[in-house]
Amino acid sequence: MNTKTLALTAMMTGGILLSCSESKLLDQVNPNQASTATFWKTSDDAIKGVNAAYSAMQDRRFSLWIRFLTDLSSDEGYSQSPWTDLGNISKFIVTDYNIPMNIEPFQAAYQGIYRTNQVLENVPNIKMDATLQKRILAEAKVIRAYFYYNMANIWGNVPLVLKSQTLSERPAQNTQQQVFEQVIKDCQEAAVDLPDGYTGLDVGRLHKYSAIALIGKTYMQQRKWAEAATALKQIIDQTPTRFDLVPDYKDNFTTLLENNKESLFEIQYYDENESKVGGAVNYDVAGGSESSEHAQFFGLRNTTGFDKGGWCDGQPTKWLLNEFLKEKDKNGNKDYRLDYTMFYSGSTLKPHGYTYADLTRLAAGSDYLPERDRFWIKYTNYYQSTDSYFSGINDRVIRLADIYLLYAEALNEQGQTAAGIPFANRVRARVNMNALPLTMTQNDFRVQLRHDRVVELAGETQRFWDMKRYGILGPELAGPDAGKKPANESDFDTDFTTYQKGKSELYPIPLYETDANPNIKQNPGW
């Protein structure tokens, strides 16, 4: 070997050794950072672990985008967003399967599931109070069930990952039915070890009836009426002592009366100005998880002379407005819930101090359409000075009014119409609507319940699931206005013009997932 070769060899060897040396030097474990070897040792670790799983439900990648995949996909909402991909979601048009509003909630859900699996695998090995240990494991199971319930409804056939994965694993795909079965299994097991409720700083954690409510809703989506009724009755039997409807409907959607007697499953957020436990709190930047971005994305449209609203990326349909106007209350007034659901030309509310006429006047010359547009009020900060990224309004995932109406539906579908009607009347009585007669036929009550669920639960991610259960999704919902009137003017939801039966019931599984995992097949039609 000549000297040039020796020199080159020495240089290359030295470079490799140096690179290896540098690699070892840089690849160090931070002794101050928790790892699986140092964590999961104490009961405090167990609590922190399950708290991280709760945080996953707050994650804006899931909690925000799910609104677009549900409320705007139903006939309740549509979008005029200038962000084309976002606006197309409500039209069932997805050209890029990796757009944020499709891939981010998918990934965020599995990250949340990963956190629950870590709890379930590690907490049993901690020497701690047995009752607390069982409770923490049960909480993790309900959180995992919550993610899978939503994933089954949105994407259908997804992998059931029930243990921590390694990087090389490619889990098998499960059917929607199997996913629903796992939701029920997790919640049934959890209900045994969860308390009836909490006090102090633990208020807001998932309890026994959170799990039971999710069981009931999962059975309903499978049209298993008897099983659903059995589960839901366990909650009914706890009224009015443990659970009850709050006297004022609007108190379910502000920061002022959170975790109330009507709430069964609630995701916690911090208010912009103060911590819920008192004292100051450091907020995440926009896109963080301690506050909700719902109000920012759905709030009144900012326009000339008005900068207190949001981006208005989602709006209520005229069809929804018409649904509210179908019935008047006992005194001949419009449905009380309407003003606390949407802002429209006949609103009596003054969000951020403005009337509808004020906003129309301020918007002269802009794209604001007088007397035509409607805007979400529910879950926005209309009663405060402005909307922002840092809304503290908790998401009421499941509340008693929903349970009453589902129980009534489950009974009615079993031919027990007269037994179901009183539960619908409880919801109607709160807002002074006339009681339904016990002599209604099964089909008449079925139609009435569909109306009652719309006006009670609009904008609460329920309608799209309901429409699937009813079997009413289809392009015919676009009505005769398709291609003739803009979405904000039509009495129908013209977004359904592009709905394709056998395809649009589910969203496409993100391309990153199908590319990375050969065991995952794309949903039909995509």
Side-chain angles (χ1 to χ4, degrees), residues 352-371:
H352 311 310
Y354 287 83
T355 66
Y356 191 93
D358 291 333
L359 293 176
T360 300
R361 173 179 52 80
L362 290 170
S366 75
D367 60 353
Y368 204 98
L369 300 174
E371 305 297 321

Side-chain angles (χ1 to χ4, degrees), residues 173-244:
Q173 190 171 21
N174 294 86
T175 65
Q176 184 186 60
Q177 176 67 26
Q178 290 172 327
V179 178
F180 278 142
E181 288 172 358
Q182 183 64 43
V183 170
I184 291 169
K185 181 177 184 293
D186 273 347
C187 288
Q188 286 176 335
E189 292 175 356
V192 175
D193 293 322
L194 286 169
D196 288 358
Y198 299 90
T199 59
L201 297 181
D202 286 327
V203 169
R205 290 185 180 275
L206 298 172
H207 49 70
K208 174 180 179 178
Y209 298 101
S210 308
I212 292 171
L214 195 52
I215 291 170
K217 289 178 74 69
T218 305
Y219 277 132
M220 288 295 293
Q221 285 309 108
Q222 300 174 87
R223 300 172 65 85
K224 295 182 177 180
W225 312 122
E227 294 91 337
T230 298
L232 298 172
K233 189 176 184 299
Q234 295 180 65
I235 299 169
I236 301 294
D237 289 344
Q238 297 299 313
T239 61
T241 53
R242 173 69 177 85
F243 302 107
D244 201 0

Side-chain angles (χ1 to χ4, degrees), residues 57 75 87 148 151 170 250 261 270 318 497:
M57 293 195 296
D75 49 8
Y148 274 127
M151 294 189 81
R170 298 295 182 266
K250 72 175 185 295
K261 289 189 71 174
Y270 279 120
K318 188 178 178 184
T497 302

